[in-house]
Amino acid sequence: MSERADHLRRRGVAARLPSPHRPPERSLFSGIYGLVLASALVAALDATGDTADPGPDALWVLLTALASSAAHGYAHVIAQRASVDGAATVSRLRLVLAEWPLVAAVLPAVAMLLAAVAGWWAESTAVDAALLFNTVALFGWGAWAARTAGHGWPSSCGAGALDMLIGLVIIIANALIK
């Protein structure tokens, strides 16, 4: 056993078997990034004095997430190309496609905007619901990431609260700006 592993075990971090339900780090990163992106985009939609048009707004949020996902994945491809050979490979396509959690994270906000298109509620209500949902989801993703890293419940809830703070900052900024 290495000295580092022994040191970690003494500090109370037990060795964990890999969980089949443990998401890859990239999925957690992309999911959290997608929630923050969705919150920022949705908050920007609710401009005072503008005519609400939730259909195009939902499309705009989705297309922006797709473009961000592709750009982020392509940045990984460029970084890999710079560090190794320059040939295009299937693994590079996988780098781009691995950003799917970013797009998936904006889908609840898009669905809430589409509910406004259907007349179930006003766009401003959809925006408020999406901001609230994303803030709670940020807590969940942060706590889940900490739990899968082996942290206890108090520490995981603290990590979730810090992630949730990002959503609260967006909500407060949205309220102050508008």
Side-chain angles (χ1 to χ4, degrees):
M1 181 179 297
S2 73
E3 185 177 315
R4 170 118 173 98
D6 189 41
H7 173 72
L8 288 175
R9 186 154 291 139
R10 276 186 268 127
R11 292 198 56 193
V13 178
R16 295 182 56 142
L17 294 174
S19 168
H21 303 292
R22 182 178 178 169
E25 181 180 331
R26 172 169 284 170
S27 293
L28 289 168
F29 171 82
S30 294
I32 290 171
Y33 184 85
L35 287 169
V36 172
L37 177 67
S39 294
L41 289 170
V42 167
L45 294 176
D46 190 26
T48 308
D50 287 349
T51 304
D53 200 354
D57 289 346
L59 182 60
W60 182 245
V61 170
L62 183 60
L63 290 176
T64 302
L66 287 167
S68 296
S69 174
H72 196 258
Y74 188 64
H76 284 292
V77 169
I78 291 171
Q80 185 185 49
R81 186 181 304 152
S83 66
V84 291
D85 68 86
T89 64
V90 173
S91 67
R92 295 208 174 116
L93 176 61
R94 285 189 193 124
L95 284 173
V96 174
L97 296 177
E99 297 298 324
W100 68 266
L102 190 153
V103 177
V106 304
L107 293 179
V110 169
M112 290 176 203
L113 288 169
L114 291 176
V117 171
W120 295 349
W121 54 26
E123 183 178 22
S124 62
T125 305
V127 166
D128 293 342
L131 289 173
L132 180 62
F133 176 87
N134 288 347
T135 300
V136 172
L138 280 167
F139 174 86
W141 277 76
W144 184 28
R147 288 293 297 157
T148 59
H151 295 273
W153 280 109
S155 176
S156 296
C157 288
L162 284 174
D163 282 3
M164 186 175 170
L165 187 59
I166 297 168
L168 291 174
V169 166
I170 292 171
I171 289 171
I172 291 168
N174 187 40
L176 291 175
I177 290 170
K178 297 176 181 176

